[in-house]
Amino acid sequence: MFIIKTTNPKYYPNSRSMRNQLLSIALSASSLVTFAGSLNDTIPLHEVQFIQPGKTNIELIPLNSMRITAEQISRSTETSLLPVLVNKVPGLFVTERGMAGYGVSGGSAGTVNIRGVGQGNKVLFMINGLPNWAGIYGHSLADTYTTTEVDHLEVVRGPSSLLYGSNAMGGSVNIITRDQDRNGFQGRARMMWGTHATQRYGISLGYRHNKFQATAGAQYDRSKNNRPGSDFWLANEVAQIRYNTSKNWNVGANINLTQSLARNPGATNEPLLSMWTHFFRGTAALYANNVYDRLKGGVQMYYSWGQHWVDDGYAPDAEPTDYIFRLSDFNRGFTAYETLNPWTGSDLSLGFDYKQYGGHAWNDLDEGGREEIIDRKETEVAGYLMLQQQLCEMMSVNAGVRLEHNTQFGNEWVPQAGFILHPVLNNTVKFSFSKGYRAPNLRELYLYRPANPNLNPEYMYNYDVEIRQRLLDGHLDMGLSLFFIDGKDMIQTSTVDGRPLNGNTGSFINKGVEFDATYIINRQWNANANYSYLHTSKPLLAAPRNKFNAEVNYNPGQFEFTAEVQSIWGLYTNVTSGTKNDYTLLNLRAAYNVDIAGICDAKIFVKGDNLTNKHYEINEGFPMPGATVMAGFEVKF
């Protein structure tokens, strides 16, 4: 039986009140978009340029990068972005613990590893180029990354520290939001129902009139999950506006809000009662971008904040806890960047970043009052320069350096260099050397028993070669990557004098190979696959030795059919005992598309995951669901 220790709605909001709040926000946002429709501007459409914020085009630098498109995201029918990343990106893996929800605090999942690097937030998640992570814990919050109003994802495998600084040590994921592609109103809505009383709803509405556009969207997910006492719900709301002040400049603002509550029954061998976590997080940003013949760039200001409530729960034979853990944190800053074309074939990028992060954590005691834990903030300031030069039609070189200043750890130089070759037609060869850097987060320094204020920053040096070839008139695209990672001063928790302590005790070497291929057979058939092999010098959690994904799509007329296989070998769930998991999952999807009287496009779909009912774990003690089925429909207008 799951026991809730308090009925105070401040600590334990119910899903019905959240549905009402979500509806209210969605209606308010819809009213804003409708009001925008009354604005009038006679600027012709062909003079308008809408520019997504971004420091660089990742396809033009020698880092190992890829893009996941809106079509791929939509076809997955997922409402969370993380499963899409696992399926599409070789070398990337995410921990999971159930049918829905990643959670926070004890027993949580959602750790993202790229090439075995990710524990402690070494992979940076961004929204339109702006960092998005919790100020004290230092890690991203997996449940906030939903598919609502997402246009595409830009993923870099390997250090992105030159452009983004600390926390991009292992790689980066940039979530780019959707633009309106035509004048007038556009909208979409999706509803899904399935196994374990899972429900997923989403709606969005957009308006564009020449130089102005506005969008708003909302999403609500809930599930009882595959284990008793693991109920989960999430609400997400987004809104953005953009205005082109001229053909060279635009300005805009956006906001993203997420609320979630997850219950946790504990690991199967260590059950818990009354363990739940609730959070409210928001991110808001203002930006201005420019594009000229030889100059482009922008400035962005952002503020991210969060409120967290956690009941740590108690063992069935123990007394209930007498407190509620509280956390209020922030992450704010601004970034300015410009790319110049001083001479033919060159791009000179300059940028400046400022960010301040921190927060306040305490325990609210049942008998009244509070127990203070931490109240602290840190500041980072950085500048960078990157030059890319086209030497000939076959070759370009890239080099850059960043100077990162942390108020606690001082200055750090972060270099990057590489080149891109086109030795034969439709062939690309990339080589890069890049340094990854991460300053310890406030949790590792000051929070909980293992805290150690004397930690040093972590480093890694990445060497990467990528060969990509297009064949059969572009119908077949293949890529092969080889990488070598040398890391040092890695932060690990070990036992010192009988107590756990964080320390710079670790060094590691990761090396491996990655392969991906996409084959457009004809108008009806296409297939894609990716594989990664990872060798590590020491066992690592959530870093499988072998990872394979394959997908076949068949589109006869108005129908869509997809068969997908995912295989994982050599996945450590406990490095102390050496426990590993190997598993293969079979997933199928089917959809039917129909045009309703020329008014809107509708899609009816059904998906089945793990149809062979494989029993496996990713987080030890948290069995994943067996076969599950979801069905629903989507309309676009």
Side-chain angles (χ1 to χ4, degrees):
M1 182 176 66
F2 189 90
I3 301 172
I4 298 301
K5 192 175 64 177
T6 176
T7 58
N8 190 333
K10 176 178 70 172
Y11 295 139
Y12 188 66
N14 62 70
S15 58
R16 179 175 296 180
S17 65
M18 284 311 308
R19 282 199 301 268
N20 294 336
Q21 178 183 349
L22 176 61
L23 179 60
S24 175
I25 293 174
L27 290 175
S28 299
S30 177
S31 299
L32 171 66
V33 175
T34 303
F35 169 75
S38 64
L39 298 176
N40 185 34
D41 200 306
T42 57
I43 300 297
L45 185 61
H46 67 269
E47 294 185 12
V48 178
Q49 299 180 41
F50 288 97
I51 310 159
Q52 281 289 0
K55 291 183 176 181
T56 187
N57 184 344
I58 63 169
E59 297 173 354
L60 299 180
I61 57 178
L63 300 179
N64 196 311
S65 61
M66 66 181 300
R67 175 178 298 216
I68 300 174
T69 66
E71 180 182 355
Q72 291 173 311
I73 296 171
S74 175
R75 191 176 187 115
S76 73
T77 69
E78 298 285 354
T79 56
S80 169
L81 289 171
L82 296 189
V84 181
L85 288 167
V86 174
N87 291 341
K88 300 299 181 185
V89 182
L92 185 149
F93 190 75
V94 179
T95 60
E96 296 182 73
R97 64 176 187 177
M99 174 80 176
Y102 297 92
V104 296
S105 190
S108 64
T111 296
V112 180
N113 279 306
I114 294 180
R115 297 173 170 177
V117 181
Q119 299 284 341
N121 191 38
K122 300 178 182 67
V123 175
L124 178 64
F125 274 71
M126 300 170 286
I127 300 177
N128 292 329
L130 299 177
N132 189 275
W133 42 270
I136 287 185
Y137 282 110
H139 60 66
S140 57
L141 292 169
D143 286 316
T144 64
Y145 303 124
T146 68
T147 57
T148 307
E149 288 301 306
V150 173
D151 181 78
H152 68 274
L153 306 174
E154 297 176 350
V155 183
V156 175
R157 307 197 299 276
S160 303
S161 299
L162 171 66
L163 291 177
Y164 304 115
S166 184
N167 292 343
M169 179 172 168
S172 62
V173 178
N174 195 7
I175 302 168
I176 306 299
T177 54
R178 183 181 293 118
D179 280 340
Q180 300 302 307
D181 57 7
R182 65 177 186 272
N183 275 345
F185 286 98
Q186 300 179 60
R188 64 184 66 199
R190 176 186 287 181
M191 297 184 181
M192 300 174 63
W193 304 270
T195 308
H196 304 302
T198 302
Q199 303 171 45
R200 296 172 179 171
Y201 307 96
I203 185 171
S204 66
L205 183 65
Y207 174 78
R208 174 171 172 175
H209 182 77
N210 294 337
K211 297 197 299 179
F212 178 86
Q213 65 170 285
T215 60
Q219 178 177 315
Y220 179 76
D221 292 6
R222 67 176 300 171
S223 177
K224 289 187 176 181
N225 260 317
N226 55 300
R227 295 179 62 201
S230 59
D231 296 18
F232 168 84
W233 63 256
L234 172 142
N236 175 261
E237 307 88 38
V238 299
Q240 62 177 341
I241 57 173
R242 185 172 301 162
Y243 183 73
N244 276 44
T245 59
S246 70
K247 68 177 183 179
N248 302 115
W249 283 88
N250 69 33
V251 297
N254 57 64
I255 187 169
N256 187 314
L257 304 175
T258 305
Q259 310 86 42
S260 177
L261 187 142
R263 299 178 181 177
N264 178 14
T268 51
N269 60 334
E270 295 181 354
L272 289 173
L273 301 176
S274 190
M275 200 298 183
W276 54 264
T277 59
H278 167 62
F279 70 78
F280 172 88
R281 296 205 65 85
T283 300
L286 299 171
Y287 61 86
N289 295 313
N290 65 81
V291 170
Y292 293 90
D293 290 340
R294 291 185 174 271
L295 178 70
K296 61 182 177 181
V299 60
Q300 303 170 334
M301 296 176 289
Y302 63 93
Y303 184 74
S304 175
W305 70 98
Q307 296 285 339
H308 301 247
W309 298 260
V310 179
D311 188 328
D312 289 323
Y314 58 95
D317 58 350
E319 292 294 322
T321 55
D322 59 356
Y323 64 90
I324 296 292
F325 176 79
R326 294 288 310 276
L327 173 66
S328 173
D329 71 343
F330 68 89
N331 183 356
R332 61 194 175 204
F334 70 89
T335 180
Y337 51 92
E338 289 290 336
T339 297
L340 315 174
N341 303 118
W343 53 81
T344 302
S346 68
D347 284 322
L348 178 64
S349 299
L350 305 118
F352 174 82
D353 295 325
Y354 168 87
K355 64 174 175 274
Q356 187 179 73
Y357 55 91
H360 181 201
W362 70 96
N363 289 330
D364 271 343
L365 305 177
D366 286 355
E367 67 269 16
R370 65 171 58 179
E371 178 186 17
E372 295 293 337
I373 300 176
I374 182 176
D375 189 355
R376 192 177 177 97
K377 61 185 177 184
E378 296 286 349
T379 302
E380 294 179 2
V381 181
Y384 67 88
L385 179 149
M386 182 174 68
L387 175 64
Q388 180 161 304
Q389 178 64 53
Q390 185 80 29
L391 298 180
C392 60
E393 292 185 1
M394 294 176 56
M395 182 177 182
S396 64
V397 296
N398 177 285
V401 66
R402 179 186 185 95
L403 178 59
E404 182 93 4
H405 176 77
N406 184 288
T407 52
Q408 180 164 344
F409 301 103
N411 296 330
E412 185 70 30
W413 291 96
V414 182
Q416 174 185 297
F419 58 82
I420 302 176
L421 295 176
H422 302 283
V424 296
L425 183 66
N426 294 325
N427 177 265
T428 301
V429 178
K430 292 183 179 181
F431 171 80
S432 65
F433 160 78
S434 51
K435 178 180 178 179
Y437 165 78
R438 187 183 81 97
N441 58 45
L442 293 177
R443 174 184 56 81
E444 294 163 334
L445 291 166
Y446 306 111
L447 197 59
Y448 303 131
R449 194 179 179 193
N452 182 358
N454 299 314
L455 292 172
N456 294 319
E458 300 174 316
Y459 308 87
M460 61 176 269
Y461 301 92
N462 184 82
Y463 305 86
D464 199 305
V465 177
E466 180 189 15
I467 304 171
R468 184 159 295 278
Q469 180 68 55
R470 299 181 66 187
L471 300 169
L472 305 178
D473 295 327
H475 286 256
L476 177 61
D477 188 313
M478 299 184 297
L480 177 68
S481 301
L482 305 173
F483 65 88
F484 180 88
I485 297 172
D486 183 7
K488 68 176 184 176
D489 284 336
M490 305 307 294
I491 297 172
Q492 297 177 345
T493 302
S494 58
T495 301
V496 178
D497 296 331
R499 57 155 287 184
L501 183 69
N502 294 331
N504 295 103
T505 60
S507 61
F508 69 87
I509 291 178
N510 292 359
K511 53 188 176 182
V513 59
E514 298 162 345
F515 173 80
D516 68 272
T518 299
Y519 183 27
I520 302 175
I521 303 169
N522 53 42
R523 292 184 178 181
Q524 294 183 332
W525 288 91
N526 66 81
N528 61 80
N530 62 79
Y531 168 77
S532 58
Y533 169 78
L534 172 66
H535 174 79
T536 63
S537 59
K538 59 181 62 178
L540 297 174
L541 287 173
R545 179 174 288 264
N546 296 275
K547 173 175 173 278
F548 173 74
N549 280 83
E551 180 181 286
V552 177
N553 297 304
Y554 176 49
N555 306 309
Q558 295 172 284
F559 287 94
E560 297 176 4
F561 299 101
T562 298
E564 180 183 79
V565 173
Q566 179 187 93
S567 292
I568 301 293
W569 303 278
L571 171 68
Y572 278 99
T573 58
N574 187 315
V575 296
T576 302
S577 64
T579 305
K580 294 182 183 180
N581 250 298
D582 301 334
Y583 59 88
T584 297
L585 307 178
L586 172 64
N587 307 321
L588 299 177
R589 296 189 295 271
Y592 177 72
N593 298 279
V594 60
D595 180 9
I596 302 178
I599 301 175
C600 65
D601 296 322
K603 176 187 290 189
I604 303 170
F605 57 87
V606 61
K607 61 178 293 190
D609 292 336
N610 190 13
L611 293 180
T612 59
N613 202 35
K614 175 69 176 179
H615 297 280
Y616 68 105
E617 292 182 1
I618 297 176
N619 279 22
E620 187 179 36
F622 290 83
M624 291 295 290
T628 61
V629 177
M630 296 287 297
F633 67 90
E634 181 180 54
V635 294
K636 298 180 182 180
F637 59 90

